[in-house]
Amino acid sequence: MYLFPILVIAVLLYGLLAKRETRDCRWREKRDPASDQSDWACLHCGATMRGPQSTPPKSCLRA
């Protein structure tokens, strides 16, 4: 009985704190067939960057 409120609080805290730097980012990849790099664009903030294929950026550039 006492465990349930603690579990609910833990789940809420995890949801709020996990992956804060990219929580709202939705990265889309445009591959460059001539190299192993891709152009990445964030649909949320409009940031763009270049990086390795199939590996979305780990941080948002919104700053």
Side-chain angles (χ1 to χ4, degrees):
M1 186 69 168
Y2 295 108
L3 184 61
F4 183 71
I6 294 171
L7 185 61
V8 169
I9 291 171
V11 168
L12 288 175
L13 284 174
Y14 177 77
L16 290 174
L17 300 176
K19 294 177 65 174
R20 295 183 87 175
E21 61 273 358
T22 59
R23 182 182 306 142
D24 293 330
C25 288
R26 299 292 178 255
W27 294 101
R28 294 297 180 250
E29 180 180 19
K30 183 178 178 188
R31 291 187 179 201
D32 183 5
S35 71
D36 61 346
Q37 296 288 306
S38 292
D39 292 318
W40 292 91
C42 177
L43 296 179
H44 181 72
C45 68
T48 59
M49 68 180 302
R50 233 165 130 69
Q53 289 184 357
S54 303
T55 307
K58 293 188 186 327
S59 62
C60 187
L61 303 174
R62 282 181 287 158

